[in-house]
Amino acid sequence: LTNYVEGGQSTTLVINTANYEASLAATLTIEQKQEEFPETMEVECDTTEAEIQETIQELSENGTVTLTKKDTLQAQSLVRRNAVVNSYFGEVGENITYILKFVSNNSNYKSFETEITFIVTRIEAYTNADSRYEFVFDGSDVLSRLTNIVTNNTESSVEFSINGEEITSLVNAGTYSLTITYPESDHYTESSTTVTIFVDKATPITNFNQTYNMYWNDQLNEITLPSN
């Protein structure tokens, strides 16, 4: 006996030894199993209801899962809800409880209802950039010339730091380990990346190959020599 049968299955137990033989009629029942789902689950605030439904459904191949918001007075379609809360499933820190209804398609599993609470968290942010940048000193701020910095954080402004100290400009020649950070915001976690900045020294251009006409009483300090 391996499968569930409603009402149990009648069977006969037979005991047969060298000296004794006996039989007993009995009804055996295999209990249905209940599929297991988490009581709580963290979801990023930009997760859609459809994505949550898909994630929960992937936890079972033995039935269909339907989620319904517990507070029916506030229940509404995802499209309407997103329009109200700027496309966010909920605000960070909010706990949203749904009724989870499981309808079994396998006779060995029973259908049931339970509750699942979704804990809304910040979106996991990322920051990417080139691993190294090279410049030649020209007196300008190289921070404003950094390219290919990519982040999914649409709320924070970028910050730069060297050895943990925030900087607002970088001009002088040298080699620097620069950290690029987008701070935590209302809906995004903090993210950062570290790059290497090379600012090479500039090569001065000086031309002394010029002829100057000087009178006997001219002073050298009155002659202006060209430089870079």
Side-chain angles (χ1 to χ4, degrees), residues 6 11 71 96 106 112 115 119 150 162 171 181 204 206 215 227:
E6 185 176 357
T11 187
D71 187 349
I96 305 176
N106 184 328
F112 67 96
E115 292 185 2
I119 303 170
V150 179
I162 295 177
V171 176
T181 302
T206 303
Y215 295 97
S227 66

Side-chain angles (χ1 to χ4, degrees), residues 64-124:
T64 302
V65 175
T66 302
L67 295 175
T68 306
K69 201 166 188 294
K70 184 178 180 181
D71 187 349
T72 55
L73 295 178
Q74 298 180 11
Q76 51 190 311
S77 71
L78 176 65
V79 174
R80 289 181 58 205
R81 177 174 175 81
N82 281 352
V84 173
V85 293
N86 299 321
S87 299
Y88 292 115
F89 175 72
E91 289 303 312
V92 173
E94 184 179 3
N95 295 338
I96 305 176
T97 301
Y98 277 72
I99 302 298
L100 186 155
K101 183 177 181 181
F102 176 76
V103 178
S104 174
N105 59 16
N106 184 328
S107 62
N108 292 313
Y109 289 80
K110 61 182 178 181
S111 300
F112 67 96
E113 289 187 4
T114 187
E115 292 185 2
I116 181 170
T117 299
F118 298 103
I119 303 170
V120 183
T121 64
R122 287 179 171 83
I123 303 165
E124 187 70 27

